[in-house]
């Protein structure tokens, strides 16, 4: 007898993801799933974009990590509602974990929910959480070969953020070639170049503007 465990896990996940998606739709919440390697700058980008968006939108954050609430504390310190999920060694978040913590938010009071997935460029890509938008954050220090080596994450991303652009030269990455590779894998990916270390002009404003625009667009199509 053949037992297809992998398919079963995916079916369960997809059922929870559909449930989450319906909950987000009912409340008019735009939901973003951010993934990328440890240290790519996911939490730093969140801090910068939240700072720019928090006067315009009511935002909640879910922080996924193997252990600790360090990232959640960083987000809470800027006055954003945040729930931490510790996967206890698990390499990704799944839709059931998200479903379980949603009661921790006052859903009708949120416009935007951002989920920072566990730092990993492989496992999170396979799990739909019910999100509207997937962002892959990759720092220039990771090496330009990563889109070709980890294509699934890029294939399913709506947005790819190339972060740490301030240290591009030292990193040795060929930015234009890397962007071509990303678009070869996924021609519909929207690419942003950012730095969380630079002052005003650092690409983070454009990203924040885009996320606000998408959030308000979803709100417009939600029944009161
Ligand atoms: N030079 C530089 N360092 C950055 C940038 N963004 C994040 N970092 C640093 O990279 C490290 C990891 O950042 P973090 O946001 O915790 O990454 P995460 O693990 O993906 O959430 C920290 O030391 C950050 O200060 C950036 O744009 N430029
Ligand atoms: Mg982080």
């Amino acid at each position: 007898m053949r037992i297809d465990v992998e398919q079963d896990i995916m079916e369960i996940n997809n059922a929870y993801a559909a449930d989450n998606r319906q909950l987000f739709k009912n409340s008019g919440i735009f939901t973003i799933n951010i993934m990328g390697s440890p240290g790519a700058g996911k939490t730093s980008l969140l801090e910068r974009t939240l700072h720019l968006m928090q006067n315009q939108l009511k935002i909640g954050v879910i922080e996924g990590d193997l252990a600790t609430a360090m990232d959640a504390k960083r987000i809470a310190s800027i006055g954003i509602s945040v729930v931490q999920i510790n996967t206890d060694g698990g390499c990704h978040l799944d839709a059931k974990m998200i479903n379980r913590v949603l009661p921790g938010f006052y859903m009708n009071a949120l416009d935007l929910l951002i989920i920072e997935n566990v730092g990993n460029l492989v496992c999170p890509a396979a799990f739909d959480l019910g999100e509207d938008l997937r962002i892959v954050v990759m720092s220039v220090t990771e090496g330009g070969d990563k889109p070709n080596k980890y294509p699934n994450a890029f294939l399913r991303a709506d947005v790819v953020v190339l972060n740490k652009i301030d240290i591009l030269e030292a990193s040795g990455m060929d930015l234009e070639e890397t962007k071509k590779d990303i678009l070869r894998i996924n021609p519909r990916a929207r690419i942003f170049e950012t730095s969380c270390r630079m002052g005003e002009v650092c690409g983070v404003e454009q990203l924040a503007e885009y996320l606000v625009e998408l959030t308000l667009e979803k709100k417009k199509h939600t029944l009161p």
Side-chain angles (χ1 to χ4, degrees):
M1 190 172 79
R2 182 167 166 263
I3 302 173
D4 205 337
V5 177
E6 193 180 331
Q7 187 175 350
D8 196 37
I9 289 170
M10 283 308 167
E11 270 172 23
I12 293 169
N13 187 74
N14 290 343
Y16 274 102
D19 191 27
N20 292 348
R21 193 164 272 119
Q22 190 61 48
L23 287 169
F24 299 142
K25 188 174 179 204
N26 294 346
S27 306
I29 300 173
F30 190 74
T31 306
I32 301 172
N33 180 1
I34 302 187
M35 52 190 81
S37 303
K42 298 178 294 300
T43 312
S44 305
L45 263 180
L46 254 178
E47 289 168 322
R48 295 287 296 252
T49 48
L50 288 171
H51 179 70
L52 293 169
M53 300 190 296
Q54 71 186 145
N55 291 335
Q56 303 168 69
L57 301 174
K58 286 170 259 116
I59 309 171
V61 170
I62 296 175
E63 278 293 341
D65 264 312
L66 301 181
T68 84
M70 290 163 81
D71 285 358
K73 283 183 188 151
R74 284 167 65 181
I75 301 303
S77 74
I78 51 176
I80 298 280
S81 317
V82 56
V83 172
Q84 176 77 53
I85 300 176
N86 280 147
T87 58
D88 201 17
C91 61
H92 61 86
L93 293 175
D94 66 36
K96 187 177 179 182
M97 295 173 190
I98 301 299
N99 195 272
R100 252 198 234 136
V101 301
L102 290 181
F105 294 100
Y106 182 46
M107 298 282 279
N108 288 335
L110 282 189
D111 303 313
L112 174 62
L113 178 67
I114 306 182
I115 303 163
E116 178 179 341
N117 217 312
V118 177
N120 186 319
L121 206 49
V122 184
C123 313
F127 287 81
D128 180 13
L129 305 180
E131 71 270 17
D132 296 290
L133 190 86
R134 268 186 184 209
I135 300 181
V136 169
V137 182
M138 175 186 158
S139 73
V140 298
T141 53
E142 290 171 50
D145 56 349
K146 296 305 174 292
N148 285 326
K149 288 175 85 172
Y150 300 92
N152 279 347
F154 293 89
L155 190 65
R156 299 181 64 180
D158 302 291
V159 167
V160 175
V161 178
L162 295 171
N163 190 39
K164 308 196 188 180
I165 228 72
D166 53 298
I167 49 175
L168 176 64
E169 205 175 317
S171 80
M173 176 195 269
D174 184 332
L175 189 64
E176 291 314 311
E177 274 308 309
T178 306
K179 288 201 284 191
K180 274 189 210 154
D181 285 345
I182 292 168
L183 291 173
R184 208 174 298 127
I185 294 165
N186 177 3
R188 64 174 191 90
R190 202 172 169 126
I191 302 176
F192 290 84
E193 296 164 27
T194 60
S195 167
C196 298
R197 282 281 170 85
M198 285 155 75
E200 292 293 297
V201 186
C202 58
V204 180
E205 310 79 2
Q206 285 95 322
L207 178 63
E209 264 171 39
Y210 182 58
L211 301 183
V212 170
E213 194 186 302
L214 292 177
T215 303
L216 296 179
E217 189 61 30
K218 179 162 184 181
K219 202 100 209 152
K220 248 195 328 202
H221 297 293
T222 306
L223 292 173

